[in-house]
Amino acid sequence: MVDILCIGEPLFELNEQPDGSFLPGCGGDVSNVCIAAARQQAYVGLVANIGTDTFGEKLQETWRREGVSTKYVTSKPGEDTGIYFVQHDANGHKFLYRRKGSAASRMTRKDIPQSGITDASLVYASGISFAVSGELRDATRHAIEIAVANGRTVAFDPNLRTALWSLDEARAVTHEVMKHCDIALPGLEDARALTGHTSPEEIVRFYHTLGARIVALTLGADGVAVSCGDGVKTIPGEAVETVDATGAGDCFNGVFMAAWLRSGNAVEAAANANRAAAHSTTAYGAVTAPRMTLSS
């Protein structure tokens, strides 16, 4: 039985460095979440398809090293592992993807392990898993249906990527998914686009109205607004020398879920996750910042 089971698309990362070279690494939002949670001593599993290529092998090596269970990771012969490039400029980071037709995008509901979901304490997915392909969308929806039917806690980050689908479609799908989730983990800019609301308080209220018991709204450098339905608590951001914000939101989600499962205190979990997410931006790469273990 795992504490957290994540469903979605792992990717191999190539992160541009100041000298123009590219730092190889492990990426993809659900993989980043898994690693962040595992670093907090949570027992974490990943449900995903990868290719039988060098990139897939490197991902497997990283998960084994980080203590992420790969029981439900399937290597598909002849299929490709998706990759992405991260580039940096004065406005921050930007992504370039090579993922079309990848093994992860071809995952279907037949690849979803019902027993794995029913044995997990918490099931996590993101909006990217619904946007990459119709097959992965159906598989992820099926996983959430199994989780809900069996009383598992479901956490969801809308994680908007308008390069993958239209805002209208993203809004319709993620709002519907959120109706079945216990924990909402949106980012501020995504949530503003999806909900049409501006203030953190309005956004938190909106996601509570959809059905979430807990809302942890990340505010970037300004910290996080967290609510269990009894008022919004804002935790200020941590002052760090940011180098690369890639994966910071994923780090927050992984640490938040691990800390919440351990303590049951959402505000305390958000404070821990807020510190870890800030710390994750001090090095290049989604998961390459030095480990930071936080006590509850």
Side-chain angles (χ1 to χ4, degrees):
M1 180 174 184
V2 299
D3 298 321
I4 303 168
L5 189 67
C6 301
I7 297 106
E9 178 200 37
L11 296 164
F12 189 78
E13 178 184 84
L14 291 163
N15 198 302
E16 188 178 30
Q17 304 299 284
D19 65 1
S21 64
F22 284 86
L23 174 71
C26 186
D29 62 342
V30 292
S31 176
N32 299 339
V33 169
C34 283
I35 291 171
R39 288 177 176 179
Q40 304 306 308
Q41 286 75 58
Y43 183 29
V44 186
L46 177 63
V47 180
N49 287 351
I50 57 174
T52 52
D53 49 24
T54 299
F55 301 128
E57 291 172 1
K58 293 294 185 182
L59 290 173
Q60 290 269 28
E61 290 173 9
T62 300
W63 295 325
R64 284 194 292 268
R65 184 173 65 248
E66 295 287 349
V68 174
S69 172
T70 57
K71 180 178 180 180
Y72 302 117
V73 174
T74 303
S75 296
K76 295 287 188 175
E79 296 190 18
D80 297 325
T81 304
I83 64 174
Y84 71 104
F85 299 84
V86 186
Q87 295 179 299
H88 307 273
D89 58 27
N91 297 317
H93 61 281
K94 55 184 178 181
F95 301 111
L96 176 64
Y97 293 93
R98 292 293 181 268
R99 60 161 37 126
K100 187 175 181 179
S102 68
S105 73
R106 298 173 185 268
M107 190 164 75
T108 71
R109 60 174 54 206
K110 293 180 180 179
D111 297 306
I112 299 298
Q114 181 163 341
S115 61
I117 292 172
T118 57
D119 285 344
S121 297
L122 189 155
V123 175
Y124 172 86
S126 87
I128 291 177
S129 299
F130 285 84
V132 167
S133 69
E135 294 95 331
L136 184 54
R137 180 185 305 186
D138 182 60
T140 308
R141 181 180 286 116
H142 182 56
I144 291 175
E145 288 171 351
I146 294 171
V148 172
N150 287 275
R152 303 297 87 187
T153 299
V154 177
F156 182 65
D157 178 352
N159 213 352
L160 178 64
R161 294 290 186 274
T162 52
L164 291 174
W165 55 353
S166 70
L167 179 58
D168 286 343
E169 186 179 14
R171 183 179 290 127
V173 172
T174 59
H175 288 0
E176 182 60 32
V177 173
M178 197 66 76
K179 293 176 183 178
H180 307 287
C181 296
D182 304 283
I183 301 173
L185 297 166
L188 180 60
E189 294 309 312
D190 289 353
R192 282 174 169 166
L194 288 166
T195 69
H197 296 299
T198 302
S199 75
E201 292 78 14
E202 291 174 322
I203 292 167
V204 167
R205 189 179 308 115
F206 178 87
Y207 283 116
H208 276 313
T209 300
L210 286 182
R213 293 188 290 113
I214 298 170
V215 180
L217 174 68
T218 52
L219 309 174
D222 293 327
V224 56
V226 60
S227 170
C228 297
D230 53 358
V232 178
K233 168 70 174 178
T234 301
I235 300 166
E238 295 276 324
V240 297
E241 292 187 15
T242 296
V243 171
D244 177 17
T246 302
D250 305 326
C251 177
F252 177 92
N253 292 349
V255 174
F256 177 87
M257 291 187 292
W260 178 78
L261 283 174
R262 188 167 57 240
S263 71
N265 187 315
V267 174
E268 192 174 82
N272 280 348
N274 186 50
R275 289 194 295 273
H279 182 77
S280 76
T281 70
T282 61
Y284 287 99
V287 296
T288 52
R291 292 169 179 266
M292 185 179 191
T293 302
L294 301 162
S295 60
S296 60

